[in-house]
Amino acid sequence: MALDTNTLEALIVDAPHYIIVLNTDLEIEFINRGGPAGSVEEIVGRPLLSFVRPDDQARIEATLRAVLATGQAQTYAVSYYSPSGDIVYYENAASPLIVGDQTRGIALYTQDATIRRRAELQRDRLQTVMERAEAVANFGSFEVIAGSGGEEVNLSKELCRILNLDFSQKPPPMSEHLSEHVHPDDRQELQGAVERAMLHGHSFEMEYRIVPTPGLTRWVKTQTEPIVDAEGSPVGLRGILRDITEERQIAIEKSELQEQLRQA
């Protein structure tokens, strides 16, 4: 079914994403609607790069020049300043406009990613704050979810440091943690606590010893709670692990001093 010109224009104007046409000088010749950067009248005729943040301009210009030079489509992400001074984020697909055997410009298909990108940045900021807090308080966090394809294990950077694990590598399953990082004398008790938590959905606290490297023993305290599915059945565990080695040493020294004072 052939579409008439009016129908095509209506589809373009009402498209959920921005459609922009650039000439070979990277000036905006057409945009299907206005947005945070201004009205259609305020946008058309201006260089695209005038909307781009200065630290992004060289990268975006190089990408668009490559589309013109090679005739190959490119994708890129970019941020712009809105008239109110806010930063808005877009994901773009740039395709060459070829007439005959010549590239006459670029068609940009632009999706507003501001809400998602701001959420990602906020998440990253919160993650940084959490990592700093964990480092100061000497504790790390973990999450273990059981699945048909095996366990999904997530460990924080600080917990990897406590356990002497490489954060950039895939974390080991719970069984490997029990066999390789938990002191032999504490494995059975911790294994029992984990199994009861998974079976009955109970939270638990426990102090036990870890062996992060051969010959080195440290005391940790875990506070663990179950992760449940929509039916309330346990499917995993999450919690924190805190290094309490120094605290225990201070308590032992205090107890020994008190005993000496009683005997004096």
Side-chain angles (χ1 to χ4, degrees), residues 57-244:
Q57 288 179 359
R59 175 177 62 87
I60 302 309
E61 182 174 9
T63 299
L64 297 176
R65 295 293 180 193
V67 173
L68 293 171
T70 66
Q72 300 296 315
Q74 301 269 359
T75 59
Y76 65 92
V78 68
S79 55
Y80 298 92
Y81 286 114
S82 71
S84 63
D86 294 331
I87 299 175
V88 291
Y89 300 88
Y90 292 93
E91 294 174 345
N92 304 271
S95 300
L97 287 175
I98 300 175
V99 179
D101 59 353
Q102 292 187 338
T103 300
R104 298 293 188 178
I106 295 173
L108 280 179
Y109 304 90
T110 301
Q111 179 179 359
D112 190 337
T114 303
I115 294 176
R116 177 174 58 79
R117 182 58 181 152
R118 286 176 178 171
E120 291 173 349
L121 291 171
Q122 178 66 7
R123 180 200 62 201
D124 291 344
R125 284 192 289 268
L126 291 175
Q127 181 66 29
T128 299
V129 171
M130 177 58 72
E131 289 174 358
R132 291 174 179 171
E134 288 187 0
V136 170
N138 207 21
F139 76 89
S141 57
F142 64 88
E143 184 176 83
V144 181
I145 301 177
S148 58
E151 293 179 345
E152 178 184 342
V153 181
N154 296 298
L155 307 179
S156 70
K157 284 184 178 180
E158 184 62 15
L159 184 53
C160 287
R161 186 196 66 78
I162 292 172
L163 297 176
N164 195 37
L165 297 174
D166 186 347
F167 180 72
S168 65
Q169 301 298 315
K170 182 179 179 180
M174 178 67 76
S175 58
E176 185 175 326
H177 168 63
L178 290 168
S179 63
E180 296 189 10
H181 300 110
V182 178
H183 192 281
D185 294 342
D186 295 335
R187 286 175 190 162
Q188 185 173 356
E189 183 180 359
L190 180 59
Q191 179 67 51
V194 169
E195 291 177 353
R196 288 190 296 274
M198 287 297 295
L199 181 62
H200 303 294
H202 293 166
S203 301
F204 70 90
E205 294 185 11
M206 180 179 170
E207 295 181 6
Y208 63 94
R209 287 162 290 181
I210 60 171
V211 185
T213 58
L216 175 64
T217 299
R218 298 190 69 82
W219 279 93
V220 295
K221 180 177 182 179
T222 184
Q223 295 173 281
T224 302
E225 64 180 17
I227 301 171
V228 298
D229 60 17
E231 287 71 40
S233 300
V235 295
L237 299 171
R238 70 162 62 93
I240 62 172
L241 191 77
R242 187 163 63 91
D243 190 328
I244 60 170

Side-chain angles (χ1 to χ4, degrees), residues 18-21 28-35 39-40 43-44:
Y18 293 100
I19 300 174
I20 302 170
V21 175
I28 299 172
E29 292 193 341
F30 170 84
I31 185 169
N32 61 327
R33 55 192 170 87
S39 66
V40 171
I43 294 172
V44 171

